[in-house]
Amino acid sequence: MNANKKKLAVFVSGTGTNFETVQEFILNNNVNGKIILLISSRQDALALKKAEKYGIDSCVIQQEDYDNIESYTNEMLNKLEQYNIDYIILAGFLKKIPSEVIKTYKWRIINIHPALLPKFGGKGMYGIRVHEAVLKTGEKETGVTIHFVDEIYDNGAIIMQQRVPVQPADTPEVLQKRVLAQEHKILPRVVQFLCDDKIKVQDNRVIIEE
Ligand code: GRF
């Protein structure tokens, strides 16, 4: 491994298809970064098995296991420091990131959200609920947003968005699948830009120097 490669941690709560897609992209392309740590908020996340398959270190950090937010936060910070992590990728992580972690890793945490933020974001807006809400309001298009993480859910500066059409016959599940396919296309690209230092922020606006 190139000593200068960016050290990446991926946070998950479930299946980890985005994690897997980024890892496959890194293995098959010349990316200046490497996933060296997977943190799961759940013991039963399928993503943990995927990490094992790739030989990537993983751990479970569940908030319920800690007496208070400080010890939970410290556990997370210690792990990240132990691995000397440069960037954190939230790929289906359903817990709020403690504010100390957000402060310590300012402009170094990204999240992927399955809608065109600021629409259909915020607390409780995750998974199939997002797509149900999109269909309920009769939107003609939805999409994917990748953004930096700040203290407010789904609020940070937007890095990249991809539109996805809504079809008349869509069910939430069908729409979710179409959106997920686009997530898998843009997340590896953003990770590559990040690792190449091509993502700059000016006045809270993100500029990608392609
Ligand atoms: C994705 O839809 C992502 O946008 C959202 O959670 C889902 C995770 O899917 N934040 P997976 O675990 O990567 O398959």
Side-chain angles (χ1 to χ4, degrees), residues 164-180:
V164 175
V166 176
Q167 306 292 358
D170 278 349
T171 61
E173 291 75 17
V174 168
L175 185 56
Q176 183 177 41
K177 227 172 139 193
R178 192 178 310 121
V179 170
L180 192 61

Side-chain angles (χ1 to χ4, degrees), residues 15-18 92 112-114 183:
T15 323
T17 63
N18 277 294
I112 182 157
H113 185 79
E183 293 183 41

Side-chain angles (χ1 to χ4, degrees), residues 12-20 47 50 90-94 111-115 126-127 131 144-145 176 179-180 183-184 187:
V12 297
S13 298
T15 323
T17 63
N18 277 294
F19 157 61
E20 197 171 21
K50 294 182 176 167
L90 307 184
F93 188 70
L94 299 182
N111 179 49
I112 182 157
H113 185 79
Y126 61 85
H131 309 290
V144 181
T145 303
Q176 183 177 41
V179 170
L180 192 61
E183 293 183 41
H184 294 165
L187 187 57

